[in-house]
Amino acid sequence: MALPRSHFAPCFAACLALTAISACGADAAQSAAPTTPAPLRLDERTNHTTVSATVGTSVVVTLHSTYWSDLTSRTPDVLAAAGASRVTSAHTCAPGRGCGTVELALRAVRPGSADITARRTSCGEARRCVGDEGRYSVTVKIRG
């Protein structure tokens, strides 16, 4: 049975309104989705500094010498390692230079303050580190 012509306009208007409402709701849901903070990348340039991050931020420390050791977060309940540190050798330089990197990935898990540290005794071929050269330290202030 066909509907009289007078019923088509209200049905069409109702369908159009439902479609518009559904589309608006989809846009609102998409725009309300939380965004993941960009990773915080640290290296020798951030040594002896304080940086800021938010909970959920990925923190990646890359030190450009394989002589660095004990790269760690001193406060793992605030800034937790996502695994063990990784050493990658580079075979493009003279022996004795410590060519390569030491890298550690971490995640900010709760508000607070955390220290990332590392140490080394050699600062080049047959050269012992002097003073702060052998210490890496960054404080990360994490807010909720």
Side-chain angles (χ1 to χ4, degrees):
M1 169 165 105
L3 290 174
R5 199 179 260 272
S6 63
H7 284 54
F8 283 117
C11 286
F12 180 73
C15 287
L16 187 59
L18 282 174
T19 302
I21 291 170
S22 295
C24 290
D27 287 344
Q30 287 176 352
S31 65
T35 58
T36 303
L40 178 60
R41 300 197 178 276
L42 308 175
D43 60 17
E44 292 85 354
R45 292 173 292 191
T46 55
N47 194 8
H48 306 298
T49 65
T50 299
V51 297
S52 296
T54 57
V55 170
T57 299
S58 172
V59 178
V60 179
V61 182
T62 304
L63 301 177
H64 296 87
S65 171
T66 57
Y67 294 147
W68 288 106
S69 63
D70 300 325
L71 178 57
T72 188
S73 167
R74 297 272 182 199
T75 322
D77 59 322
V78 175
L79 186 62
S85 62
R86 185 178 56 171
V87 177
T88 305
S89 296
H91 302 287
T92 57
C93 71
R97 294 242 170 136
C99 293
T101 59
V102 177
E103 186 172 277
L104 180 62
L106 305 120
R107 171 137 340 261
V109 292
R110 70 177 182 86
S113 180
D115 292 319
I116 302 169
T117 61
R119 63 180 181 82
R120 65 181 177 174
T121 55
S122 179
C123 286
E125 187 173 0
R127 185 169 98 62
R128 292 193 65 75
C129 297
V130 178
D132 279 349
E133 286 181 318
R135 287 178 287 216
Y136 180 83
S137 177
V138 172
T139 300
V140 182
K141 301 283 186 183
I142 300 164
R143 59 192 182 283

